[in-house]
Amino acid sequence: AQTVTQSQPEMSVQEAETVTLSCTYDTSESDYYLFWYKQPPSRQMILVIRQEAYKQQNATENRFSVNFQKAAKSFSLKISDSQLGDAAMYFCAYRRTMTGNQFYFGTGTSLTVIP
Amino acid sequence: NAGVTQTPKFQVLKTGQSMTLQCAQDMNHNSMYWYRQDPGMGLRLIYYSASEGTTDKGEVPNGYNVSRLNKREFSLRLESAAPSQTSVYFCASSSILRETQYFGPGTRLLVL
């Protein structure tokens, strides 16, 4: 079974600074997708960024970027120039590309942004 | 384009009562999902529907039933609610081609 581990239950960052959230996963598959979701206090889950395992280039979305290390099964999220609106719970997720359609989520990292 | 909608937003039940959580999406997605979120546990998959007419169990299906009414709607039913089912429930949908899930706003359920 696939597992996703987020070892940092809580993180904090000064406004305008950079923070990195960690995620590791366990799989025997060679092709899959990885995601970072943001959940603000409103509780709605918002997609931040996605990465296809077959792509060597790390995905970026404005201030958000990932460090994807396939051999190490590591998928960290870097938030640059942190803003107060970045404060939220962040979830790492894994999805196989084969049939089953199941997503596997980590337990989340709560990010606090300090003014 | 409302995305994924869920009703109700909040519900209080007594032990043994039944209720149905409704979910609808207007993005023409094939797949739909029900998750529950508990503190320290992250999101756990209850049931999912890969396509209209099919449903499959996820990680924590006991105590729940689902119905994929049509391509747009996927409901979750609690036949006899228990306090252990107190949680926040999220519905999500995805297109196989895009591999990305879109979530609804969640339903907070309290079982007394």
Side-chain angles (χ1 to χ4, degrees), chain A residues 33 35 37 39 42-47 50 89 91 95-97 100-108, chain B residues 31 33 35 37 40-43 45 48 50 57-58 88 90 94 96 98-101 103-105 108:
Chain A
Y33 288 84
F35 306 84
Y37 284 91
Q39 187 183 42
S42 66
R43 290 192 177 274
Q44 185 143 16
M45 297 285 281
I46 303 165
L47 178 68
R50 65 191 282 263
M89 183 74 83
F91 290 94
R95 184 200 188 285
R96 294 186 319 187
T97 56
N101 287 346
Q102 291 198 39
F103 283 67
Y104 298 88
F105 286 84
T107 52
Chain B
S31 302
Y33 311 80
Y35 293 92
Q37 185 179 26
M41 301 289 288
L43 284 160
L45 183 65
Y48 68 99
K57 295 178 180 180
V88 180
F90 285 95
S94 70
I96 293 174
R98 285 190 58 82
E99 301 288 347
T100 301
Q101 283 199 331
F103 284 80
R108 296 189 68 181

Side-chain angles (χ1 to χ4, degrees), chain B residues 40-59:
Chain B
M41 301 289 288
L43 284 160
R44 292 184 292 170
L45 183 65
I46 304 171
Y47 271 93
Y48 68 99
S49 171
S51 61
E52 186 179 356
T54 68
T55 60
D56 286 285
K57 295 178 180 180
E59 182 183 356

Side-chain angles (χ1 to χ4, degrees), chain B residues 33-106:
Chain B
Y33 311 80
W34 276 106
Y35 293 92
R36 61 178 289 173
Q37 185 179 26
D38 303 294
M41 301 289 288
L43 284 160
R44 292 184 292 170
L45 183 65
I46 304 171
Y47 271 93
Y48 68 99
S49 171
S51 61
E52 186 179 356
T54 68
T55 60
D56 286 285
K57 295 178 180 180
E59 182 183 356
V60 289
N62 292 342
Y64 305 94
N65 285 302
V66 291
S67 295
R68 184 73 183 267
L69 303 170
N70 46 55
K71 192 171 186 179
R72 290 188 64 249
E73 299 171 289
F74 188 40
S75 62
L76 178 72
R77 183 160 178 85
L78 287 71
E79 291 292 350
S80 178
S84 61
Q85 294 177 305
T86 292
S87 188
V88 180
Y89 291 85
F90 285 95
C91 178
S93 69
S94 70
S95 165
I96 293 174
L97 292 177
R98 285 190 58 82
E99 301 288 347
T100 301
Q101 283 199 331
Y102 296 84
F103 284 80

Side-chain angles (χ1 to χ4, degrees), chain A residues 22-100:
Chain A
S22 300
C23 173
T24 58
Y25 57 95
D26 182 28
T27 184
S28 57
E29 305 285 338
S30 60
D31 199 12
Y32 47 87
Y33 288 84
L34 296 164
F35 306 84
W36 278 99
Y37 284 91
K38 170 185 177 182
Q39 187 183 42
S42 66
R43 290 192 177 274
Q44 185 143 16
M45 297 285 281
I46 303 165
L47 178 68
V48 175
I49 199 165
R50 65 191 282 263
Q51 173 83 43
E52 294 91 336
Y54 65 87
K55 289 187 178 179
Q56 292 186 341
Q57 186 174 7
N58 289 325
T60 62
E61 286 288 342
N62 300 315
R63 298 182 295 105
F64 298 87
S65 61
V66 298
N67 183 4
F68 174 47
Q69 301 289 330
K70 191 172 184 179
K73 297 180 183 176
S74 170
F75 182 61
S76 60
L77 175 70
K78 185 171 82 171
I79 306 174
S80 304
D81 186 25
S82 297
Q83 301 175 359
L84 295 177
D86 295 334
M89 183 74 83
Y90 287 81
F91 290 94
C92 178
Y94 164 100
R95 184 200 188 285
R96 294 186 319 187
T97 56
M98 300 299 287
T99 58

